[in-house]
Amino acid sequence: MARHELHLKLTLRLYSDDAQRCFGPGIATLLERVVVHRSLRAAAASMGMAYSKAWRIIRTAEGVFGCKLLLSRTGGAHGGGACLTQDAEQILSDFTAFRKEVDTEIEK
């Protein structure tokens, strides 16, 4: 039987006090892609995610954090789009920094 080298993979997820998942690597990636694509629809599509699921994830996190994560504008002559609020930028930044700290400790 072949032997495989094993490694540890730790996934960080934040849960509300009522055990509702509200933030983790998936929504972090979604928010990062909103920054790149300037659109929730395009960000979701780039992840193979339904637009309705992307909105559901965003709304759940907004409910738990008590703040808006996206500023969106509907289409029209100048097109629609979305960008992160300052709160979302801070949450994403804090989550990313903490994840890097944890990864560093795991490598040790």
Side-chain angles (χ1 to χ4, degrees):
M1 183 161 95
R3 295 188 74 169
H4 297 277
E5 188 169 327
L6 302 176
H7 64 278
L8 178 64
K9 180 180 178 184
L10 182 65
T11 302
L12 297 175
R13 288 190 175 89
L14 300 177
Y15 290 82
S16 64
D17 56 3
D18 63 353
Q20 184 174 20
R21 185 177 358 177
C22 62
F23 205 89
I27 190 171
T29 299
L30 182 61
L31 293 177
E32 290 166 350
R33 291 188 184 193
V34 167
V35 171
V36 170
H37 296 287
R38 298 186 306 259
S39 160
L40 181 60
R41 184 178 300 279
S46 76
M47 296 173 68
M49 179 186 296
Y51 181 60
S52 58
K53 180 177 180 178
W55 263 121
R56 189 169 55 253
I57 290 168
I58 295 292
R59 286 190 189 110
T60 297
E62 287 177 342
V64 172
F65 287 118
C67 63
K68 297 286 286 175
L69 297 180
L70 294 181
L71 298 173
S72 57
R73 55 192 182 284
T74 56
H78 302 289
C83 63
L84 304 188
T85 63
Q86 287 183 339
D87 288 328
E89 290 173 354
Q90 187 64 58
I91 292 166
L92 181 58
S93 175
D94 291 347
F95 181 80
T96 301
F98 183 62
R99 186 171 57 189
K100 285 179 183 175
E101 287 179 31
V102 169
D103 288 345
T104 299
E105 289 300 314
I106 288 172
E107 288 177 21
K108 290 180 183 178

XYZ file of all heavy atoms in Angstrom:
830
model
N 0.847 -1.173 0.000
C 0.000 0.000 0.000
C 0.896 1.241 0.000
O 1.861 1.328 0.755
C -0.891 -0.021 1.248
C -1.856 1.125 1.280
S -3.236 0.822 2.397
C -2.660 1.600 3.864
N 0.585 2.197 -0.837
C 1.374 3.420 -0.949
C 1.163 4.304 0.280
O 0.063 4.383 0.829
C 0.967 4.189 -2.193
N 2.230 4.935 0.699
C 2.149 5.859 1.836
C 2.033 7.268 1.300
O 2.711 7.639 0.357
C 3.387 5.728 2.697
C 3.472 4.341 3.333
C 4.549 4.285 4.304
N 4.088 5.033 5.484
C 4.703 5.029 6.646
N 5.809 4.359 6.786
N 4.246 5.705 7.663
N 1.197 8.039 1.926
C 0.997 9.424 1.527
C 1.478 10.342 2.637
O 1.299 10.045 3.820
C -0.490 9.705 1.262
C -1.042 8.905 0.136
N -0.906 9.285 -1.171
C -1.716 7.732 0.121
C -1.481 8.380 -1.948
N -1.988 7.428 -1.183
N 2.074 11.437 2.234
C 2.470 12.432 3.225
C 1.221 13.196 3.656
O 0.418 13.621 2.825
C 3.493 13.400 2.639
C 4.074 14.315 3.688
C 5.275 15.080 3.180
O 6.028 14.535 2.349
O 5.433 16.218 3.628
N 1.039 13.337 4.936
C -0.137 14.017 5.470
C 0.212 15.446 5.842
O 1.339 15.752 6.216
C -0.667 13.285 6.699
C -1.048 11.822 6.491
C -1.472 11.206 7.813
C -2.150 11.697 5.460
N -0.750 16.314 5.735
C -0.561 17.699 6.150
C -1.842 18.205 6.794
O -2.926 17.665 6.559
C -0.146 18.585 4.974
C -1.192 18.681 3.901
N -1.350 17.716 2.936
C -2.134 19.613 3.665
C -2.352 18.055 2.142
N -2.852 19.200 2.562
N -1.707 19.221 7.588
C -2.839 19.802 8.298
C -3.405 20.961 7.498
O -2.667 21.809 7.011
C -2.384 20.309 9.675
C -3.429 21.003 10.539
C -4.547 20.021 10.914
C -2.772 21.554 11.799
N -4.694 20.987 7.348
C -5.368 22.107 6.702
C -6.442 22.589 7.666
O -7.370 21.858 7.989
C -5.994 21.708 5.372
C -6.695 22.869 4.703
C -7.312 22.480 3.387
C -8.033 23.676 2.803
N -8.725 23.332 1.571
N -6.276 23.797 8.116
C -7.213 24.381 9.062
C -8.035 25.441 8.349
O -7.477 26.301 7.669
C -6.442 25.011 10.226
C -7.247 25.643 11.337
C -8.058 24.575 12.071
C -6.312 26.326 12.322
N -9.337 25.374 8.456
C -10.211 26.354 7.844
C -10.854 27.185 8.945
O -11.439 26.636 9.887
C -11.318 25.667 7.009
O -10.684 24.860 6.018
C -12.203 26.676 6.337
N -10.733 28.493 8.831
C -11.321 29.399 9.824
C -12.700 29.844 9.371
O -12.880 30.274 8.238
C -10.430 30.630 10.004
C -9.041 30.375 10.539
C -8.250 31.662 10.555
C -9.117 29.795 11.939
N -13.658 29.728 10.286
C -15.017 30.215 10.024
C -15.519 30.887 11.286
O -15.292 30.397 12.391
C -15.946 29.066 9.655
C -15.693 28.511 8.284
C -16.800 27.541 7.877
N -16.605 27.096 6.524
C -15.881 26.036 6.172
N -15.297 25.314 7.098
N -15.747 25.704 4.915
N -16.205 31.984 11.104
C -16.816 32.679 12.231
C -18.285 32.298 12.307
O -18.973 32.234 11.286
C -16.694 34.198 12.053
C -15.276 34.757 11.940
C -15.332 36.257 11.686
C -14.484 34.448 13.183
N -18.751 32.073 13.539
C -20.145 31.719 13.781
C -20.745 32.717 14.762
O -20.058 33.201 15.661
C -20.256 30.311 14.380
C -19.902 29.212 13.408
C -18.582 28.857 13.164
C -20.897 28.524 12.722
C -18.251 27.856 12.274
C -20.578 27.506 11.832
C -19.262 27.181 11.615
O -18.937 26.187 10.717
N -22.023 32.961 14.603
C -22.725 33.814 15.556
C -22.982 33.021 16.837
O -22.765 31.806 16.883
C -24.054 34.289 14.954
O -24.901 33.176 14.727
N -23.464 33.700 17.864
C -23.715 33.002 19.125
C -24.844 31.977 19.028
O -24.971 31.120 19.886
C -23.961 33.988 20.275
C -25.099 34.950 19.999
O -25.752 34.835 18.943
O -25.341 35.816 20.841
N -25.648 32.050 17.962
C -26.688 31.036 17.762
C -26.254 29.983 16.728
O -27.080 29.327 16.114
C -28.023 31.673 17.371
C -27.966 32.422 16.051
O -26.864 32.572 15.477
O -29.025 32.884 15.588
N -24.922 29.862 16.556
C -24.298 28.835 15.709
C -24.571 29.014 14.220
O -24.493 28.063 13.453
C -24.701 27.436 16.160
N -24.853 30.236 13.792
C -25.065 30.509 12.378
C -23.724 30.909 11.751
O -23.053 31.828 12.221
C -26.080 31.642 12.202
C -26.435 31.926 10.775
C -27.556 32.952 10.679
O -27.820 33.705 11.601
N -28.214 32.995 9.539
N -23.317 30.195 10.701
C -22.059 30.516 10.020
C -22.219 31.877 9.353
O -23.173 32.114 8.619
C -21.730 29.463 8.978
C -20.378 29.698 8.353
C -19.913 28.701 7.357
N -20.758 27.568 7.096
C -20.493 26.654 6.196
N -19.403 26.728 5.486
N -21.298 25.658 5.999
N -21.275 32.789 9.611
C -21.435 34.131 9.059
C -20.231 34.627 8.272
O -20.363 35.557 7.479
C -21.779 35.126 10.161
S -20.517 35.291 11.426
N -19.051 34.036 8.461
C -17.890 34.503 7.703
C -16.842 33.416 7.669
O -16.596 32.753 8.674
C -17.286 35.767 8.328
C -16.523 36.602 7.350
C -17.149 37.586 6.612
C -15.171 36.394 7.145
C -16.447 38.343 5.696
C -14.459 37.147 6.225
C -15.105 38.133 5.501
N -16.237 33.252 6.501
C -15.187 32.259 6.322
C -14.501 32.479 5.000
O -14.641 33.533 4.374
N -13.758 31.477 4.548
C -12.992 31.645 3.315
C -13.866 31.893 2.078
O -13.450 32.600 1.164
C -12.202 30.351 3.183
C -12.797 29.403 4.152
C -13.530 30.189 5.176
N -15.063 31.333 2.053
C -15.940 31.523 0.897
C -16.385 32.956 0.724
O -16.261 33.537 -0.357
N -16.908 33.557 1.787
C -17.356 34.943 1.681
C -16.162 35.888 1.536
O -16.246 36.910 0.861
C -18.277 35.361 2.850
C -18.902 36.733 2.560
C -17.538 35.338 4.157
C -19.983 37.144 3.526
N -15.025 35.517 2.130
C -13.822 36.337 1.948
C -13.442 36.378 0.466
O -13.165 37.451 -0.083
C -12.671 35.792 2.792
N -13.447 35.228 -0.177
C -13.145 35.171 -1.607
C -14.188 35.939 -2.407
O -13.851 36.682 -3.339
C -13.088 33.704 -2.087
O -12.055 33.035 -1.366
C -12.820 33.612 -3.581
N -15.452 35.796 -2.044
C -16.514 36.519 -2.733
C -16.278 38.031 -2.642
O -16.351 38.739 -3.654
C -17.879 36.146 -2.138
C -19.107 36.772 -2.780
C -19.237 36.365 -4.245
C -20.359 36.373 -2.004
N -15.967 38.527 -1.453
C -15.720 39.964 -1.296
C -14.475 40.403 -2.070
O -14.479 41.475 -2.689
C -15.587 40.315 0.186
C -16.856 40.166 1.026
C -16.561 40.478 2.499
C -17.985 41.045 0.508
N -13.426 39.588 -2.039
C -12.221 39.919 -2.808
C -12.533 40.019 -4.295
O -12.032 40.908 -4.994
C -11.130 38.865 -2.580
C -10.539 38.896 -1.189
C -9.713 37.660 -0.834
O -9.737 36.659 -1.590
O -9.059 37.713 0.214
N -13.389 39.146 -4.776
C -13.743 39.161 -6.200
C -14.689 40.302 -6.541
O -14.683 40.783 -7.671
C -14.293 37.805 -6.626
C -13.181 36.762 -6.592
C -13.590 35.459 -7.174
N -12.507 34.497 -7.009
C -12.457 33.346 -7.634
N -13.418 32.991 -8.465
N -11.447 32.527 -7.427
N -15.486 40.756 -5.584
C -16.295 41.961 -5.811
C -15.360 43.150 -6.070
O -15.614 43.972 -6.952
C -17.241 42.257 -4.626
C -17.821 43.656 -4.721
C -18.368 41.224 -4.571
N -14.277 43.213 -5.308
C -13.299 44.286 -5.506
C -12.730 44.221 -6.925
O -12.650 45.236 -7.624
C -12.164 44.210 -4.458
C -11.043 45.184 -4.784
C -12.706 44.463 -3.061
N -12.371 43.036 -7.378
C -11.767 42.857 -8.702
C -12.775 43.128 -9.815
O -12.489 43.866 -10.761
C -11.197 41.426 -8.845
C -10.776 41.133 -10.280
C -10.035 41.222 -7.891
N -13.960 42.544 -9.707
C -14.954 42.605 -10.789
C -15.905 43.796 -10.683
O -16.635 44.082 -11.636
C -15.774 41.304 -10.831
C -14.977 40.092 -11.149
N -14.494 39.815 -12.405
C -14.545 39.073 -10.369
C -13.826 38.679 -12.393
N -13.841 38.203 -11.160
N -15.927 44.439 -9.506
C -16.830 45.573 -9.243
C -18.301 45.202 -9.479
O -19.100 46.022 -9.896
C -16.425 46.806 -10.059
C -15.045 47.303 -9.694
C -14.704 48.594 -10.383
N -14.843 48.535 -11.824
C -13.856 48.385 -12.679
N -12.636 48.286 -12.245
N -14.073 48.354 -13.969
N -18.610 43.937 -9.170
C -19.965 43.427 -9.375
C -20.138 42.153 -8.563
O -19.284 41.260 -8.629
C -20.175 43.132 -10.864
O -21.250 42.240 -11.068
N -21.237 42.073 -7.818
C -21.518 40.839 -7.089
C -21.856 39.718 -8.055
O -21.419 38.588 -7.875
C -22.652 41.041 -6.079
C -23.007 39.811 -5.248
C -21.813 39.331 -4.423
C -24.200 40.094 -4.351
N -22.608 40.041 -9.086
C -22.985 39.016 -10.066
C -21.743 38.414 -10.724
O -21.599 37.192 -10.837
C -23.919 39.592 -11.135
C -24.430 38.546 -12.121
C -25.394 39.129 -13.139
N -26.573 39.729 -12.549
C -27.655 39.069 -12.134
N -27.697 37.756 -12.243
N -28.682 39.704 -11.625
N -20.809 39.260 -11.147
C -19.586 38.773 -11.794
C -18.704 38.025 -10.793
O -18.079 37.024 -11.146
C -18.822 39.935 -12.422
N -18.642 38.511 -9.551
C -17.852 37.834 -8.519
C -18.399 36.429 -8.280
O -17.644 35.460 -8.233
C -17.866 38.642 -7.225
N -19.719 36.321 -8.148
C -20.347 35.016 -7.925
C -20.101 34.094 -9.119
O -19.737 32.924 -8.941
C -21.841 35.189 -7.673
N -20.269 34.619 -10.322
C -20.063 33.813 -11.525
C -18.630 33.297 -11.606
O -18.394 32.153 -12.006
C -20.406 34.623 -12.773
N -17.668 34.119 -11.193
C -16.258 33.700 -11.249
C -15.974 32.550 -10.295
O -14.968 31.849 -10.445
C -15.336 34.882 -10.941
O -15.315 35.186 -9.559
N -16.854 32.351 -9.319
C -16.707 31.258 -8.356
C -17.635 30.085 -8.668
O -17.687 29.116 -7.916
C -17.019 31.774 -6.943
C -16.066 32.829 -6.450
S -16.587 33.544 -4.863
C -16.352 32.140 -3.757
N -18.414 30.208 -9.748
C -19.382 29.172 -10.074
C -20.543 29.144 -9.095
O -21.155 28.113 -8.858
N -20.843 30.308 -8.519
C -21.888 30.426 -7.501
C -23.095 31.159 -8.078
O -22.942 32.120 -8.833
C -21.330 31.236 -6.311
C -22.304 31.456 -5.175
S -21.637 32.560 -3.893
C -20.263 31.620 -3.290
N -24.268 30.727 -7.701
C -25.486 31.412 -8.131
C -25.545 32.799 -7.490
O -25.163 32.985 -6.331
C -26.722 30.607 -7.736
N -26.015 33.761 -8.247
C -26.146 35.140 -7.762
C -27.043 35.185 -6.528
O -26.742 35.888 -5.559
C -26.717 35.996 -8.892
C -26.903 37.453 -8.579
C -25.830 38.260 -8.215
C -28.164 38.044 -8.691
C -25.999 39.610 -7.954
C -28.343 39.391 -8.438
C -27.262 40.173 -8.074
O -27.442 41.501 -7.821
N -28.110 34.403 -6.534
C -29.027 34.389 -5.383
C -28.321 33.858 -4.130
O -28.549 34.361 -3.023
C -30.270 33.550 -5.686
O -29.905 32.221 -6.014
N -27.446 32.869 -4.294
C -26.698 32.341 -3.151
C -25.716 33.399 -2.643
O -25.551 33.564 -1.427
C -25.942 31.072 -3.527
C -25.156 30.492 -2.357
C -24.463 29.204 -2.717
C -23.706 28.678 -1.490
N -23.045 27.412 -1.769
N -25.076 34.117 -3.551
C -24.138 35.171 -3.153
C -24.861 36.217 -2.303
O -24.354 36.632 -1.255
C -23.506 35.815 -4.382
N -26.047 36.637 -2.731
C -26.809 37.618 -1.955
C -27.211 37.045 -0.601
O -27.188 37.742 0.410
C -28.048 38.093 -2.719
C -27.809 39.392 -3.429
C -27.927 39.623 -4.771
C -27.395 40.634 -2.845
N -27.599 40.934 -5.043
C -27.272 41.575 -3.879
C -27.092 41.039 -1.551
C -26.882 42.902 -3.668
C -26.703 42.358 -1.332
C -26.610 43.270 -2.376
N -27.587 35.779 -0.564
C -27.989 35.152 0.695
C -26.812 35.144 1.681
O -26.977 35.464 2.864
C -28.501 33.734 0.430
C -29.144 33.060 1.615
C -29.882 31.781 1.254
N -29.084 30.797 0.541
C -29.206 30.508 -0.764
N -30.110 31.128 -1.503
N -28.435 29.606 -1.331
N -25.639 34.820 1.195
C -24.438 34.813 2.037
C -24.141 36.216 2.558
O -23.850 36.408 3.738
C -23.236 34.251 1.240
C -23.425 32.748 0.990
C -21.922 34.526 1.957
C -22.459 32.177 -0.025
N -24.217 37.194 1.684
C -23.954 38.589 2.064
C -24.968 39.045 3.112
O -24.607 39.627 4.140
C -23.990 39.518 0.832
C -22.847 39.188 -0.139
C -23.972 40.984 1.241
C -21.458 39.497 0.370
N -26.244 38.787 2.867
C -27.285 39.226 3.809
C -27.141 38.554 5.175
O -27.369 39.190 6.211
C -28.667 38.952 3.222
C -29.030 39.918 2.125
C -30.498 39.777 1.722
N -30.749 40.562 0.529
C -31.002 40.067 -0.681
N -31.068 38.749 -0.855
N -31.213 40.851 -1.706
N -26.784 37.288 5.191
C -26.571 36.593 6.462
C -25.451 37.272 7.244
O -25.604 37.562 8.440
C -26.234 35.106 6.235
O -27.352 34.472 5.608
C -25.910 34.400 7.543
N -24.336 37.520 6.587
C -23.204 38.167 7.259
C -23.586 39.575 7.713
O -23.235 39.986 8.831
C -21.994 38.210 6.330
N -24.297 40.314 6.895
C -24.731 41.663 7.284
C -25.614 41.615 8.530
O -25.479 42.458 9.418
C -25.485 42.334 6.130
C -24.606 42.760 4.985
C -25.358 43.352 3.811
O -26.593 43.146 3.688
O -24.716 44.031 2.986
N -26.482 40.624 8.601
C -27.352 40.483 9.757
C -26.579 40.196 11.034
O -26.871 40.750 12.095
N -25.576 39.352 10.932
C -24.778 38.995 12.102
C -23.876 40.155 12.523
O -23.788 40.484 13.701
C -23.946 37.719 11.840
C -22.966 37.463 12.967
C -24.872 36.520 11.657
N -23.220 40.784 11.551
C -22.312 41.886 11.870
C -23.041 43.198 12.162
O -22.470 44.107 12.756
C -21.307 42.109 10.735
C -20.256 41.040 10.643
C -20.141 40.247 9.509
C -19.365 40.814 11.685
C -19.168 39.271 9.416
C -18.394 39.828 11.603
C -18.295 39.055 10.462
N -24.280 43.311 11.707
C -25.045 44.527 11.953
C -24.598 45.714 11.120
O -24.716 46.869 11.552
N -24.094 45.425 9.925
C -23.665 46.506 9.032
C -23.783 46.045 7.583
O -23.845 44.852 7.307
C -22.228 46.920 9.348
S -21.008 45.602 9.071
N -23.809 47.003 6.685
C -23.824 46.697 5.253
C -22.417 46.296 4.824
O -21.431 46.852 5.305
C -24.265 47.911 4.430
C -25.680 48.396 4.704
C -26.718 47.499 4.127
C -26.799 47.655 2.623
N -27.719 46.717 2.002
N -22.332 45.328 3.937
C -21.043 44.912 3.397
C -20.818 45.426 1.978
O -19.676 45.601 1.556
C -20.914 43.388 3.414
C -20.946 42.725 4.792
C -20.802 41.213 4.659
C -19.864 43.286 5.694
N -21.914 45.644 1.253
C -21.802 46.087 -0.134
C -22.590 47.358 -0.373
O -23.675 47.550 0.176
C -22.339 45.025 -1.096
C -21.601 43.713 -1.200
C -22.280 42.810 -2.229
C -20.151 43.922 -1.581
N -22.027 48.190 -1.223
C -22.759 49.316 -1.792
C -23.012 48.925 -3.238
O -22.067 48.630 -3.973
C -21.921 50.599 -1.737
C -21.532 51.094 -0.353
C -20.573 52.274 -0.461
C -22.779 51.496 0.423
N -24.275 48.861 -3.627
C -24.572 48.433 -4.992
C -25.425 49.487 -5.685
O -26.154 50.245 -5.056
C -25.281 47.079 -4.993
O -26.462 47.131 -4.232
N -25.263 49.515 -6.992
C -26.086 50.409 -7.806
C -26.633 49.596 -8.966
O -25.935 48.737 -9.514
C -25.299 51.621 -8.274
C -24.040 51.313 -8.995
C -23.147 52.559 -9.170
N -21.967 52.198 -9.912
C -20.926 51.538 -9.430
N -20.901 51.194 -8.167
N -19.902 51.223 -10.189
N -27.871 49.864 -9.292
C -28.520 49.101 -10.350
C -27.999 49.554 -11.704
O -27.413 50.622 -11.840
C -30.051 49.280 -10.298
O -30.342 50.670 -10.362
C -30.622 48.690 -9.021
N -28.230 48.712 -12.709
C -27.776 49.000 -14.073
C -28.470 50.215 -14.655
O -29.214 50.921 -13.998
N -28.223 50.443 -15.886
C -28.766 51.603 -16.572
C -27.764 52.069 -17.598
O -26.912 51.309 -18.052
N -27.831 53.333 -17.951
C -26.946 53.878 -18.978
C -25.472 53.702 -18.611
O -24.628 53.474 -19.466
C -27.260 55.348 -19.195
N -25.161 53.818 -17.323
C -23.772 53.705 -16.889
C -23.452 52.331 -16.297
O -22.359 52.114 -15.799
C -23.453 54.798 -15.858
C -23.695 56.174 -16.382
N -22.896 56.747 -17.345
C -24.678 57.068 -16.121
C -23.356 57.948 -17.630
N -24.441 58.157 -16.905
N -24.404 51.416 -16.349
C -24.197 50.074 -15.823
C -24.308 50.040 -14.313
O -24.281 51.066 -13.648
N -24.456 48.860 -13.785
C -24.554 48.692 -12.337
C -23.216 48.314 -11.766
O -22.187 48.445 -12.417
N -23.243 47.848 -10.552
C -21.997 47.415 -9.947
C -22.099 47.374 -8.440
O -23.139 47.676 -7.860
N -21.007 47.007 -7.818
C -20.958 46.918 -6.364
C -19.537 47.191 -5.903
O -18.570 46.968 -6.637
C -21.408 45.533 -5.895
N -19.437 47.671 -4.691
C -18.133 47.841 -4.046
C -18.314 47.568 -2.561
O -19.439 47.551 -2.051
C -17.563 49.234 -4.299
S -18.537 50.581 -3.611
N -17.208 47.337 -1.881
C -17.257 47.037 -0.453
C -17.433 48.315 0.355
O -16.897 49.362 0.002
C -15.969 46.360 0.003
C -15.525 45.081 -0.699
C -14.334 44.477 0.031
C -16.647 44.080 -0.807
N -18.165 48.200 1.444
C -18.251 49.305 2.397
C -16.955 49.330 3.204
O -16.172 48.369 3.179
C -19.431 49.118 3.365
O -19.202 47.926 4.132
C -20.767 49.027 2.630
N -16.749 50.383 3.957
C -15.575 50.447 4.829
C -15.620 49.330 5.866
O -14.580 48.749 6.201
C -15.483 51.808 5.513
C -15.054 52.916 4.574
C -14.906 54.254 5.296
O -15.462 54.463 6.368
N -14.154 55.148 4.687
N -16.816 49.039 6.367
C -16.950 47.939 7.332
C -16.504 46.619 6.712
O -15.787 45.835 7.340
C -18.391 47.819 7.831
C -18.809 48.942 8.761
O -17.936 49.464 9.501
O -19.997 49.305 8.751
N -16.932 46.357 5.480
C -16.557 45.108 4.807
C -15.054 45.048 4.578
O -14.432 43.993 4.754
C -17.299 44.976 3.483
N -14.471 46.177 4.185
C -13.015 46.213 3.984
C -12.279 45.875 5.276
O -11.298 45.133 5.259
C -12.582 47.584 3.460
C -13.023 47.851 2.035
C -12.731 49.275 1.588
O -12.276 50.114 2.409
O -12.974 49.561 0.399
N -12.778 46.407 6.398
C -12.125 46.148 7.688
C -12.290 44.695 8.114
O -11.333 44.055 8.561
C -12.686 47.073 8.764
C -11.942 46.996 10.087
C -10.507 47.458 9.955
O -10.256 48.578 9.542
N -9.559 46.594 10.288
N -13.498 44.162 7.974
C -13.755 42.760 8.332
C -12.876 41.842 7.492
O -12.240 40.918 8.008
C -15.250 42.419 8.169
C -16.082 43.160 9.220
C -15.480 40.911 8.237
C -17.573 43.163 8.938
N -12.828 42.092 6.194
C -12.019 41.271 5.291
C -10.540 41.384 5.642
O -9.826 40.372 5.696
C -12.264 41.682 3.839
C -11.510 40.904 2.777
C -11.827 39.417 2.843
C -11.850 41.466 1.392
N -10.082 42.582 5.912
C -8.682 42.805 6.281
C -8.326 42.081 7.578
O -7.295 41.404 7.672
C -8.414 44.301 6.427
O -7.114 44.538 6.891
N -9.190 42.202 8.582
C -8.951 41.536 9.870
C -8.952 40.018 9.711
O -8.103 39.324 10.282
C -10.000 41.950 10.900
C -9.868 43.401 11.347
O -8.836 44.041 11.062
O -10.830 43.912 11.970
N -9.901 39.496 8.950
C -9.994 38.055 8.737
C -8.746 37.548 8.017
O -8.159 36.536 8.406
C -11.254 37.717 7.927
C -11.438 36.244 7.674
C -11.969 35.412 8.650
C -11.079 35.687 6.455
C -12.128 34.050 8.420
C -11.229 34.327 6.224
C -11.756 33.507 7.205
N -8.319 38.264 6.977
C -7.144 37.866 6.199
C -5.886 37.891 7.068
O -5.068 36.962 7.016
C -6.978 38.784 4.976
O -8.168 38.699 4.170
C -5.778 38.390 4.139
N -5.738 38.928 7.880
C -4.571 39.029 8.763
C -4.560 37.895 9.780
O -3.514 37.281 10.023
C -4.567 40.384 9.476
N -5.706 37.605 10.372
C -5.779 36.527 11.355
C -5.478 35.182 10.699
O -4.753 34.352 11.255
C -7.141 36.511 12.037
C -7.256 35.475 13.121
C -6.445 35.521 14.240
C -8.172 34.443 13.015
C -6.539 34.562 15.241
C -8.277 33.479 14.008
C -7.451 33.542 15.122
N -6.013 34.978 9.503
C -5.770 33.727 8.779
C -4.266 33.560 8.499
O -3.727 32.466 8.639
C -6.569 33.706 7.478
C -6.490 32.397 6.734
C -7.436 32.312 5.582
N -7.203 33.406 4.653
C -7.991 33.697 3.626
N -9.078 33.006 3.415
N -7.700 34.677 2.832
N -3.581 34.643 8.153
C -2.134 34.575 7.911
C -1.386 34.234 9.195
O -0.425 33.463 9.180
C -1.626 35.895 7.327
C -1.998 36.077 5.875
C -1.498 37.395 5.321
C -1.958 37.570 3.894
N -1.591 38.876 3.348
N -1.821 34.796 10.317
C -1.189 34.480 11.605
C -1.350 33.002 11.932
O -0.400 32.347 12.376
C -1.805 35.315 12.724
C -1.425 36.773 12.718
C -2.089 37.545 13.843
O -2.347 36.960 14.917
O -2.379 38.734 13.637
N -2.535 32.490 11.729
C -2.800 31.074 12.005
C -1.959 30.199 11.079
O -1.353 29.220 11.525
C -4.303 30.749 11.866
C -4.550 29.252 11.894
C -5.104 31.449 12.960
N -1.898 30.547 9.790
C -1.092 29.776 8.840
C 0.376 29.753 9.250
O 1.052 28.729 9.148
C -1.234 30.340 7.426
C -2.596 30.055 6.811
O -3.335 29.186 7.342
O -2.937 30.710 5.800
N 0.872 30.890 9.724
C 2.258 30.987 10.177
C 2.499 30.050 11.359
O 3.511 29.341 11.430
C 2.619 32.436 10.575
O 2.462 33.258 9.406
C 4.038 32.544 11.082
N 1.566 30.035 12.307
C 1.702 29.148 13.469
C 1.632 27.690 13.073
O 2.356 26.855 13.611
C 0.625 29.470 14.515
C 0.842 30.770 15.231
C 2.173 30.819 15.987
O 2.508 29.835 16.699
O 2.870 31.833 15.849
N 0.790 27.360 12.109
C 0.667 25.977 11.664
C 1.977 25.519 11.019
O 2.433 24.400 11.229
C -0.505 25.814 10.660
C -1.832 25.935 11.408
C -0.430 24.485 9.923
C -3.044 25.990 10.509
N 2.605 26.405 10.253
C 3.867 26.063 9.597
C 4.976 25.774 10.596
O 5.883 25.002 10.333
C 4.286 27.172 8.639
C 3.436 27.238 7.394
C 3.810 28.388 6.487
O 4.950 28.901 6.580
O 2.968 28.782 5.671
N 4.927 26.430 11.756
C 5.931 26.206 12.802
C 5.805 24.791 13.315
O 6.664 24.145 13.734
C 5.759 27.197 13.960
C 6.138 28.598 13.570
C 5.936 29.504 14.770
C 6.237 30.950 14.438
N 5.995 31.834 15.573
